[in-house]
Amino acid sequence: MKFYDANAEKAILSYVLHKGTKAFCKYKAKLSVSDFYYEVCAALWDSCNQFVIEHQTESEFDIVSLYNLMKQKSEDYVSSLKDIAELKESKIIGTAADEYASLIKENSRKRQLQTTLSSMQTMVEESNDTSEQLKAKLCQMLVSTNNDSNVLNCEDALEVAIRFIKSLRDHDDEKSLIFPTGINRLDVLLEGGIRNDTLNIIGARPGIGKSALGSNILINLLKTMPTLKPCVIFSLEMNNEQVIQRILSSFCGLSGTEMTQNSRMLGSHWHEIIAHSTECFSHKDDNAPRLLMCDKSNLSLSDMSSMLSDINQRYGGVGAIMLDYLQLMPTDVRIPKAIALGEISRGLKEIARAFHAPVFALCQLNREVENSKGGAPKASNIKDSGSIEQDADLIILITREKSEATLHVVKNRNGATGSVECNFNGNACLFSNEKQYDYEYL
């Protein structure tokens, strides 16, 4: 099957030549030179880009200038002046141009995937790795293929700055760089909330509330960011029914046991459950789910990457990811546990960056926390910590005495560290009503 279309490539060139540099800049954000299959079309697109850089203002394209730019690339293009003039005179409407651009990009991605699959076949045939190691490498290759980066994986700093400034100016939910946790004092300490593309560790001893805090934050994202792409919970400890029961408990304030006793369920409780469930879980206009759940107990990093790649392709992105919890992920018994978990944490960091989403990885703390006699926990208290501390952008450790909980931000790559005191409702699995906090900048 052929993954290229000469008419589409000529049509998008015709549109930008006719409309001028402003139209080119619009489609430059969607298409790169490497997306064009035909060499002459790629050369003309590159020449348009050079023209824009040289002139720096909105204007019409000058045919002679484009011709000279193409001629500099290769003498093979010396007869292209007439072709460029004919393309400029063609009339393509904007909606058709959008469709042609999408077709060119889709064909480009399929060609990339075709090349990747060929490389994967060669790797399988020639590699001495185990099947699990091969699976991880193959999944990573697929994740990399989904990224529209060039061969060098380099970007012009000016383009990065413009994109960042535009995201700050627009500040819409879908492109927001900061995700509020819903705990106001914690958001103040974190200067707004969780950053995108980050690995965020939430650690505690068993039964203290790390799963509750992780799901509380995720639910707050669903409530406050209605255009957020689907969020995903990977639960290795509890099945999906147990996870959803805890979430529903946070909606109505009753424990799971009380919820199963119909006599304790009042009309107000049902109202809260239905209202919050509708707000958080109802499918969007494009029928995309808001929250996806996976309770595969032997989930590997490669399984996780594969599922996220499928979600990303199917729904156009991933909103946020939660893993409960990191130390339960299967590892190679021949490798020391700390080293194996370090490889997993690096993989989670790569996932955060590959899918442009925050990853919340829950971790268990070692027993030394219980013997600290009131001292604040440290990142080194993470069980089998390995390089988890190094890979993490944010580490929040939880200590609790009955309903009084303290969230210790012991690492924050983007700002301050410190402590936040809040209440914990064990029945509702809900952190709330913060009391006081103190912090300092590193």
Side-chain angles (χ1 to χ4, degrees):
M1 188 174 181
K2 298 178 180 179
F3 299 123
Y4 51 85
D5 191 307
N7 291 331
E9 295 188 10
K10 289 180 180 178
I12 195 67
L13 286 164
S14 174
Y15 180 78
V16 298
L17 289 175
H18 180 70
K19 293 293 185 179
T21 57
K22 184 177 181 180
F24 173 80
C25 290
K26 171 187 174 182
Y27 288 102
K28 178 190 173 185
K30 301 178 181 180
L31 298 172
S32 64
V33 174
S34 60
D35 289 323
F36 289 84
Y37 176 81
Y38 292 95
E39 185 179 348
V40 65
C41 293
L44 181 52
W45 190 261
D46 192 33
S47 297
C48 289
N49 187 45
Q50 286 181 259
F51 182 92
V52 170
I53 293 172
E54 290 176 3
H55 290 76
Q56 294 293 318
T57 57
E58 291 183 14
S59 64
E60 292 186 1
F61 280 108
D62 178 64
I63 296 174
V64 175
S65 297
L66 290 175
Y67 171 72
N68 289 331
L69 287 170
M70 290 189 69
K71 196 174 173 183
Q72 291 172 14
K73 299 178 186 301
S74 173
E75 288 297 323
D76 293 340
Y77 304 136
V78 294
S79 62
S80 59
L81 184 60
K82 181 181 177 182
D83 295 333
I84 297 173
E86 289 178 352
L87 282 173
K88 187 174 181 181
E89 294 306 314
S90 300
K91 299 291 192 305
I92 303 293
I93 62 174
T95 52
D98 288 341
E99 293 174 3
Y100 286 128
S102 298
L103 178 59
I104 293 168
K105 174 59 75 173
E106 183 66 15
N107 281 332
S108 173
R109 286 172 173 161
K110 288 179 178 178
R111 292 196 303 272
Q112 290 177 359
L113 189 57
Q114 204 171 43
T115 301
T116 301
L117 292 174
S118 177
S119 300
M120 293 169 90
Q121 178 67 30
T122 302
M123 179 187 289
V124 171
E125 292 173 352
E126 299 179 357
S127 176
N128 294 321
D129 291 337
T130 65
S131 59
E132 189 63 27
Q133 290 170 330
L134 266 175
K135 188 176 180 181
K137 289 180 179 180
L138 296 177
C139 285
Q140 189 56 47
M141 287 178 70
L142 282 175
V143 170
S144 300
T145 303
N146 283 336
N147 297 333
D148 295 324
S149 55
N150 59 28
V151 176
L152 296 176
N153 288 315
C154 294
E155 286 188 274
D156 184 338
L158 177 61
E159 293 184 1
V160 176
I162 290 173
R163 185 170 68 244
F164 180 80
I165 293 168
K166 185 176 184 297
S167 70
L168 292 178
R169 184 195 67 192
D170 295 343
H171 197 66
D172 59 31
D173 288 338
E174 189 169 353
K175 297 179 181 178
S176 175
L177 299 174
I178 300 178
F179 298 74
T181 66
I183 301 174
N184 294 337
R185 295 293 191 186
L186 181 59
D187 287 335
V188 170
L189 180 59
L190 301 180
E191 298 182 18
I194 307 295
R195 266 56 178 180
N196 214 355
D197 296 20
T198 55
L199 173 59
N200 306 279
I201 301 296
I202 299 175
R205 287 293 295 158
I208 297 299
K210 58 183 181 292
S211 300
L213 181 59
S215 60
N216 286 176
I217 293 174
L218 214 59
I219 290 300
N220 187 68
L221 299 186
L222 294 172
K223 288 182 176 180
T224 59
M225 305 176 73
T227 61
L228 190 66
K229 297 296 183 182
C231 296
V232 190
I233 294 178
F234 294 98
S235 177
L236 283 70
E237 185 176 30
M238 297 180 286
N239 62 38
N240 289 339
E241 287 73 20
Q242 291 172 312
V243 175
I244 204 68
Q245 176 181 293
R246 286 173 170 238
I247 292 175
L248 297 182
S249 289
S250 71
F251 290 165
C252 69
L254 295 178
S255 69
T257 301
E258 291 172 326
M259 287 175 61
T260 58
Q261 299 172 356
N262 288 332
S263 59
R264 302 297 299 273
M265 290 286 287
L266 304 178
S268 59
H269 295 138
W270 285 112
H271 173 77
E272 292 294 326
I273 289 175
I274 294 171
H276 288 298
S277 295
T278 301
E279 180 183 18
C280 296
F281 307 142
S282 291
H283 288 200
K284 296 186 290 186
D285 293 339
D286 58 2
N287 204 35
R290 302 292 316 284
L291 180 64
L292 294 166
M293 308 172 71
C294 173
D295 58 4
K296 183 179 179 182
S297 60
N298 62 340
L299 181 82
S300 67
L301 193 63
S302 58
D303 293 332
M304 191 174 175
S305 295
S306 180
M307 289 183 196
L308 290 170
S309 294
D310 183 53
I311 293 167
N312 181 64
Q313 184 175 7
R314 185 172 301 183
Y315 302 115
V318 177
I321 303 156
M322 185 178 111
L323 172 66
D324 187 8
Y325 60 90
L326 192 150
Q327 287 101 332
L328 287 179
M329 294 197 85
T331 57
D332 191 331
V333 294
R334 297 168 296 179
I335 302 175
K337 187 74 170 179
I339 295 176
L341 291 177
E343 292 179 354
I344 292 174
S345 69
R346 282 190 291 275
L348 292 174
K349 177 72 173 179
E350 291 174 3
I351 284 174
R353 298 183 66 177
F355 295 103
H356 302 296
V359 171
F360 300 93
L362 311 188
C363 289
Q364 192 172 115
L365 302 185
N366 57 37
R367 292 183 181 276
E368 292 178 12
V369 177
E370 298 173 350
N371 301 324
S372 62
K373 297 181 179 180
K378 303 175 182 178
S380 58
N381 292 133
I382 297 174
K383 190 175 180 181
D384 300 313
S385 59
S387 63
I388 296 174
E389 179 182 359
Q390 176 183 326
D391 297 322
D393 296 282
L394 176 71
I395 300 179
I396 301 174
L397 305 181
I398 310 168
T399 55
R400 181 166 62 83
E401 287 292 334
K402 297 183 178 179
S403 64
E404 297 181 358
T406 304
L407 310 181
H408 306 271
V409 178
V410 299
K411 180 182 179 181
N412 183 6
R413 203 185 297 276
N414 296 298
T417 59
S419 300
V420 171
E421 294 186 2
C422 57
N423 287 341
F424 177 68
N425 184 333
N427 283 343
C429 299
L430 184 66
F431 286 85
S432 62
N433 301 321
E434 53 276 7
K435 295 178 179 179
Q436 62 185 24
Y437 75 111
D438 57 272
Y439 61 89
E440 62 183 14
Y441 282 87
L442 298 175

